[in-house]
């Protein structure tokens, strides 16, 4: 079948499956899966695994000691030695603790489905499942092996799963990330800022604020001057932001404080800017004689630079056009596991998941009618990249 016919064929197959997609989504959402609660996450992992197995997928459950287990699903091309591999990456953990369903139940209203983690990103996992089904139904001869990897700790930094998905990405020719899209138009995320956290501690010397202020070194004053300096480094036009989010220091008003601390949120759009910002932080020197600075931390999630997404996005845009859909792109301020795979030099396209809004809030929802088209787009990408 010519590539130009694939998206329409997949959409034709998937539109009638919307009720089944919604029923599957209900099962996934009502299986709560907080990142920090292994028992609950493992139960959700089992629900998802059962659904994929039921549809004939080859599922491997990778045990984790402290976090929910990982799910690795493979679909071989049928060729003895396929020339490559494509990785579809996502997570089933959510930011909501067990019991959230009691006050935020799964519900459908006005063409939207609501529930904890439905947008970020259980609907994406559902779309991937039905995309794979569409590939099977259409009897497309795939040129590459497909691997779907669902992790359990993306919302808390991916410490447990990172080695696994990075190893899988290194074996892949491209990575498709099923994180939710952006905005009502379902924009893909072709760039993401790198994210980090740094702690800056100013050390001074305590003294009586009234009897001997000249003998003290005020750590709060030192920290304030450092923050005034750091604030000037913000450059939103280039995607560089530094936010002082937590600050503390001192003990009593009549004591010269000997210690003050700030926690900084760091964001940068390019690796070069990320490294430059880290260097500037660690090169800081005290303003006040006798004061001492302690700087720790830095970026823990590199940026996803647009150059790593550009070719894949062009392909996705062309395939969407064949379904009479206009596909746009955006730069996202937050990070995902796609940041890590792009940093390895693997072409990565993010935001291929659900269309909706309200991630991490009580109004989290997906647009139901957009699900078949998003699944069809993924299927077309997997069949043609």
């Amino acid at each position: 079948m010519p590539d130009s016919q694939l998206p329409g064929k997949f959409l034709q197959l998937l539109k009638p499956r919307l009720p089944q997609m919604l029923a599957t989504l209900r099962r996934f959402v009502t299986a709560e899966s907080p990142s920090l609660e292994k028992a609950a996450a493992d139960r959700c992992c089992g629900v998802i695994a059962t659904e994929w197995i039921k549809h004939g997928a080859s599922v491997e459950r990778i045990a984790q000691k402290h976090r929910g287990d990982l799910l690795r699903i493979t679909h071989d091309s049928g060729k003895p030695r396929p020339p490559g591999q494509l990785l579809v990456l996502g997570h089933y953990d959510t930011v909501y603790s067990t019991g959230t369903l009691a006050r935020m139940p799964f519900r459908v209203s006005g063409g939207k489905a609501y529930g904890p983690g439905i947008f970020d990103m259980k609907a994406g996992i559902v779309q991937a499942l039905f995309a794979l089904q569409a590939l099977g139904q259409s009897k497309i001869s795939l040129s590459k092996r497909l691997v779907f990897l669902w992790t359990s700790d993306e919302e808390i930094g991916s410490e447990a799963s990172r080695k696994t998905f990075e190893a899988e990405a290194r074996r892949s020719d491209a990575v498709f990330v099923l994180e939710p899209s952006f905005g009502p138009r379902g924009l893909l995320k072709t760039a993401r800022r790198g994210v980090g956290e740094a702690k800056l501690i100013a050390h001074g010397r305590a003294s009586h604020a009234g009897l001997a202020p000249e003998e003290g070194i005020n750590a709060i004053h030192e920290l304030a001057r450092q923050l005034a300096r750091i604030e000037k480094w913000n450059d939103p036009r280039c995607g560089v932001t530094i936010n002082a989010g937590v600050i503390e220091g001192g003990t009593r008003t009549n004591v010269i404080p000997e210690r003050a601390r700030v926690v900084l949120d760091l964001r940068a759009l390019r690796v070069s800017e990320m490294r430059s910002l880290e260097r500037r932080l660690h090169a800081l020197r005290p303003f006040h004689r006798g004061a001492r600075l302690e700087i720790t931390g830095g970026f823990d999630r590199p940026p996803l630079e647009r150059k790593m997404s550009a070719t894949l996005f062009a392909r996705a845009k062309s395939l969407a056009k064949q379904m009479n859909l206009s596909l746009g792109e955006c730069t996202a301020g937050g990070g995902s596991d796609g940041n890590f795979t792009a940093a390895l030099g693997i072409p990565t396209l993010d935001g291929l998941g659900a269309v909706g809004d309200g991630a991490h809030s009580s109004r989290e929802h997906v647009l139901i009618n957009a699900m078949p088209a998003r699944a069809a787009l993924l299927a077309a990408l997997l069949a043609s990249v």
Side-chain angles (χ1 to χ4, degrees):
M1 182 184 299
D3 285 358
S4 61
Q5 297 178 22
L6 285 176
K9 172 67 173 176
F10 292 137
L11 187 56
Q12 185 181 9
L13 287 169
L14 286 165
K15 272 188 173 181
R17 305 298 308 280
L18 183 55
Q20 289 80 17
M21 295 178 80
L22 193 56
T24 305
L25 182 59
R26 178 189 292 271
R27 287 191 284 275
F28 288 3
V29 173
T30 53
E32 294 181 292
S33 50
S35 310
L36 297 172
E37 299 179 40
K38 177 170 172 57
D42 279 345
R43 285 193 291 272
C44 180
C45 181
V47 170
I48 296 172
T50 298
E51 201 69 34
W52 283 73
I53 292 168
K54 186 168 72 178
H55 292 283
S58 176
V59 178
E60 175 190 4
R61 185 161 171 165
I62 305 170
Q64 301 293 295
K65 186 174 182 179
H66 301 294
R67 304 295 175 220
D69 294 346
L70 314 182
L71 279 181
R72 182 176 180 271
I73 297 118
T74 56
H75 181 82
D76 286 312
S77 65
K79 299 180 180 180
R81 304 183 77 174
Q85 173 176 298
L86 300 176
L87 174 62
V88 181
L89 182 60
H91 65 92
Y92 68 84
D93 64 310
T94 77
V95 299
Y96 305 92
S97 58
T98 297
T100 299
L101 278 170
R103 65 178 186 278
M104 189 179 165
F106 178 91
R107 63 186 178 91
V108 176
S109 174
K112 301 174 182 177
Y114 295 80
I118 195 167
F119 180 50
D120 187 12
M121 53 149 281
K122 289 182 177 178
I125 299 175
V126 173
Q127 290 168 189
L129 172 60
F130 282 81
L132 183 59
Q133 286 184 41
L135 287 167
Q137 285 179 273
S138 62
K139 296 183 170 43
I140 294 292
S141 178
L142 297 175
S143 62
K144 297 181 180 181
R145 182 188 208 198
L146 305 182
V147 175
F148 301 81
L149 185 62
W150 310 130
T151 69
S152 60
D153 64 342
E154 191 273 345
E155 296 289 5
I156 53 172
S158 307
E159 183 179 352
S161 61
R162 182 175 173 180
K163 285 184 179 179
T164 301
F165 68 70
E166 285 189 336
E168 208 63 65
R170 288 188 179 97
R171 292 191 283 267
S172 303
D173 301 309
V175 179
F176 301 102
V177 184
L178 270 290
E179 287 282 344
S181 63
F182 180 79
R185 293 170 48 218
L187 304 180
L188 300 193
K189 297 167 181 176
T190 53
R192 283 184 178 271
R193 287 196 285 172
V195 184
E197 181 179 290
K199 296 180 180 67
L200 172 59
I201 302 173
H203 297 274
R205 185 168 58 241
S207 183
H208 194 292
L211 298 178
E214 70 284 352
E215 295 179 9
I217 300 172
N218 193 308
I220 291 178
H221 290 175
E222 175 65 36
L223 190 64
R225 292 193 67 179
Q226 295 294 343
L227 287 175
R229 169 193 276 168
I230 291 170
E231 184 184 13
K232 296 175 183 177
W233 299 352
N234 278 285
D235 190 349
R237 288 181 302 175
C238 292
V240 175
T241 59
I242 309 102
N243 178 62
V246 178
I247 190 166
E248 59 187 17
T251 54
R252 301 174 65 92
T253 57
N254 62 348
V255 177
I256 303 291
E258 64 178 351
R259 184 180 183 275
R261 168 181 172 269
V262 65
V263 183
L264 303 166
D265 177 272
L266 312 173
R267 310 260 168 172
L269 196 52
R270 283 175 281 276
V271 172
S272 59
E273 291 161 346
M274 177 183 82
R275 298 301 180 210
S276 174
L277 185 53
E278 287 180 326
R279 285 194 298 269
R280 294 178 80 177
L281 276 171
H282 288 275
L284 288 172
R285 296 294 179 263
F287 284 99
H288 295 87
R289 181 175 297 179
R292 180 171 61 87
L293 299 179
E294 181 182 349
I295 302 106
T296 59
F299 282 83
D300 53 22
R301 198 177 290 258
L304 190 168
E305 298 192 34
R306 190 185 180 279
K307 64 183 179 181
M308 301 307 302
S309 296
T311 300
L312 292 175
F313 174 70
R315 182 64 176 157
K317 188 173 183 179
S318 173
L319 292 168
K321 188 176 181 180
Q322 292 161 29
M323 292 189 289
N324 296 316
L325 296 177
S326 176
L327 194 64
E329 63 178 309
C330 71
T331 296
S336 80
D337 288 339
N339 292 52
F340 292 122
T341 62
L344 296 174
I346 314 301
T348 298
L349 186 59
D350 203 338
L352 281 162
V355 180
D357 200 5
H360 301 188
S361 78
S362 60
R363 58 186 180 83
E364 182 165 344
H365 66 271
V366 298
L367 303 183
I368 297 168
N369 288 335
M371 293 182 69
R374 301 297 283 202
L377 175 61
L378 178 62
L381 281 165
L382 296 176
S384 62
V385 169

